């Protein structure tokens, strides 16, 4: 069995651990897809971030049985070709929970405690106590999505005595949520929100789910944070919302990435832009390979259940 990885800079200790534990497998660790594509034809298993795969590469990988995606978002992958070949796909859903949970809380604190204004005052040597400080404690947070990431955000929110309300396709209550509702009731829930935190994947059901009507029912004090996918809401809708309907938007994801230098979101006072880094952590790759190692053991032995299997027809 040949296992090819396109993940750059896989630590030596991880490579050695895998090679020692699975001597029946031949591992080829490449520095990105530019190098890995030359080994795809002989790969039984391919480890990738997903966005570097296209239809032609899948077609060239004639022996491929399993794609391990070291990412949670897979909206750029050629799932039609993958489904045609009946290739197993798994991802690392859940390993982003800790860094993204910390990101969400840190950004809400940043906005509420006027960090941007204070940094500007410091740069200008300006001693001013005019910035209006707010607290996040005791507020209500509406979370779009109730998966592992949002469960961690909700758990951390509880440290600030927040009321947590989840909105999902099923409306089923999950750990750390006080209440949960189906997405059909979103407009009934949003008027209660001090904070709206979105961490939804890009699917036919979530693309441009949020429209102007949703921001109109949010309180004027509301802060909207999106760290899922940029096509949840159009940029024009966000710009209009922060100018008329809500107090601030924190955006880590965008319809077009990188966000163009001349895009008005960069210059909007009531928007905080971050470059799609909410899930970044020095522990990301080790956690991803830990999950791969568990799945590889099941894949080889046939004992147990594979984690995070993706349905190619749904894309998640």
């Amino acid at each position: 069995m040949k296992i090819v990885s396109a993940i750059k800079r896989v630590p030596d200790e991880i490579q050695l651990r895998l090679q020692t534990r699975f001597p029946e497998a031949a591992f080829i660790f490449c520095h990105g897809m530019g190098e890995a594509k030359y080994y795809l034809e002989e790969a039984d298993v391919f480890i990738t971030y997903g966005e570097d795969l296209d239809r032609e590469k899948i077609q060239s990988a004639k022996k491929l049985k399993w794609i391990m995606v070291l990412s949670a978002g897979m909206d750029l992958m050629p799932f039609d070709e993958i489904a045609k070949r009946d290739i197993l796909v798994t991802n690392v859903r859940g390993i982003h929970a800790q860094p993204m949970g910390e990101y969400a809380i840190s950004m809400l604190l940043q906005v509420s405690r006027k960090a941007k204004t204070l940094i500007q005052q410091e740069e200008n040597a300006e001693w001013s106590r005019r910035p209006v400080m707010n607290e996040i404690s005791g507020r209500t947070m509406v979370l779009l999505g109730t998966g592992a990431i949002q469960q961690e955000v909700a758990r951390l929110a509880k440290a600030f005595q927040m009321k947590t309300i989840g909105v999902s396709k099923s409306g089923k209550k999950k750990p750390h949520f006080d209440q949960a509702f189906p997405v059909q009731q979103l407009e009934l829930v949003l008027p209660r929100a001090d904070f709206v935190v979105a961490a939804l994947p890009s699917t036919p059901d979530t693309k441009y789910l949020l429209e102007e009507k949703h921001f109109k029912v949010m309180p004027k004090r509301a802060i909207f944070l999106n760290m899922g996918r940029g096509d949840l809401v159009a940029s024009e809708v966000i710009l209009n919302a922060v100018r008329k309907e809500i107090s601030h938007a924190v955006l880590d994801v965008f319809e077009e990435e990188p966000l163009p230098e001349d895009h008005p979101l960069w210059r909007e006072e009531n928007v905080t832009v971050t470059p799609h880094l909410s899930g970044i952590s020095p522990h990301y790759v080790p956690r991803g390979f830990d999950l791969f190692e568990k799945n590889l053991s099941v894949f080889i032995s046939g004992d147990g259940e594979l984690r995070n299997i993706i349905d190619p027809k749904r894309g998640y």
Side-chain angles (χ1 to χ4, degrees):
M1 176 188 296
K2 241 171 208 182
I3 300 173
V4 178
S5 169
I7 308 302
K8 296 179 179 179
R9 292 179 289 277
V10 178
D12 292 342
E13 59 268 27
I14 292 176
Q15 296 186 33
L16 181 60
R17 188 179 74 228
L18 289 170
Q19 290 164 340
T20 302
R21 183 175 176 188
F22 303 102
E24 66 271 54
F27 290 88
I28 303 173
F29 294 95
C30 301
H31 192 68
M33 181 59 85
E35 182 182 342
K37 64 184 179 183
Y38 297 109
Y39 300 97
L40 269 177
E41 191 172 331
E42 51 193 290
D44 297 286
V45 179
F46 185 53
I47 310 170
T48 171
Y49 282 120
E51 72 271 10
D52 49 9
L53 269 180
D54 54 35
R55 186 173 284 100
E56 291 70 29
K57 290 186 180 72
I58 295 294
Q59 289 171 345
S60 71
K62 303 185 188 304
K63 296 171 60 181
L64 195 59
K65 301 178 185 69
W66 173 24
I67 301 170
M68 174 66 189
V69 184
L70 240 68
S71 171
M74 299 166 295
D75 35 297
L76 299 178
M77 287 180 62
F79 278 117
D80 53 346
E81 190 66 30
I82 290 168
K84 195 187 305 179
R85 293 269 306 278
D86 198 26
I87 298 169
L88 169 70
V89 180
T90 61
N91 75 350
V92 291
R93 184 176 62 245
I95 73 165
H96 304 80
Q98 198 164 318
M100 291 181 75
E102 292 183 6
Y103 169 89
I105 298 298
S106 72
M107 288 296 110
L108 297 180
L109 282 167
Q110 175 265 125
V111 175
S112 298
R113 304 301 295 178
K114 296 294 186 290
K116 286 171 72 173
T117 301
L118 296 178
I119 290 170
Q120 290 170 357
Q121 287 186 182
E122 181 185 28
E123 290 174 348
N124 297 329
E126 178 187 356
W127 183 276
S128 171
R129 303 180 73 185
R130 291 179 185 173
V132 179
M133 299 289 170
N134 288 306
E135 297 179 3
I136 70 171
S137 296
R139 302 294 188 90
T140 296
M141 178 185 287
V142 171
L143 299 103
L144 307 187
T146 56
I149 293 168
Q150 296 290 61
Q151 287 173 37
E152 177 64 6
V153 176
R155 186 187 72 81
L156 294 174
K158 285 299 174 186
F160 295 89
Q161 299 87 44
M162 286 194 211
K163 182 178 181 64
T164 54
I165 303 173
V167 178
S168 65
K169 190 173 183 179
S170 69
K172 291 180 180 176
K173 192 176 175 184
K174 299 288 182 65
H176 312 299
F177 290 92
D178 295 308
Q179 293 178 284
F181 296 88
V183 71
Q184 291 84 355
Q185 296 185 40
L186 180 57
E187 285 181 75
L188 299 177
V189 175
L190 288 175
R192 302 162 61 183
D194 296 295
F195 309 117
V196 179
V197 177
L200 293 169
S202 178
T203 72
D205 291 330
T206 62
K207 283 187 177 181
Y208 300 105
L209 171 66
L210 292 185
E211 302 173 355
E212 285 190 12
K213 63 180 181 180
H214 295 107
F215 291 93
K216 284 181 178 178
V217 299
M218 293 181 195
K220 295 287 185 184
R221 65 182 179 276
I223 297 172
F224 171 70
L225 185 152
N226 187 13
M227 56 181 182
R229 282 295 179 264
D231 58 10
L232 175 70
V233 55
S235 298
E236 296 78 13
V237 172
I238 290 284
L239 283 165
N240 186 63
V242 297
R243 290 167 180 170
K244 298 179 181 179
E245 312 295 348
I246 63 173
S247 69
H248 203 93
V250 178
L251 306 174
D252 189 49
V253 289
F254 305 88
E255 292 174 283
E256 181 183 356
E257 295 184 9
L259 188 66
E261 291 182 13
D262 60 350
H263 200 287
L265 283 171
W266 285 112
R267 297 181 297 279
E268 184 61 44
E269 183 180 358
N270 295 324
V271 171
T272 297
V273 171
T274 61
H276 202 150
L277 46 60
S278 58
I280 290 179
S281 164
H283 307 297
Y284 185 94
V285 169
R287 285 174 181 153
F289 273 94
D290 283 347
L291 184 52
F292 169 70
E293 185 174 346
K294 291 182 176 75
N295 270 348
L296 181 58
S297 178
V298 174
F299 186 76
I300 291 174
S301 69
D303 296 329
E305 292 186 11
L306 292 165
R307 303 185 188 188
N308 293 0
I309 294 177
I310 303 304
D311 181 351
K313 292 178 183 175
R314 294 190 303 172
Y316 61 95

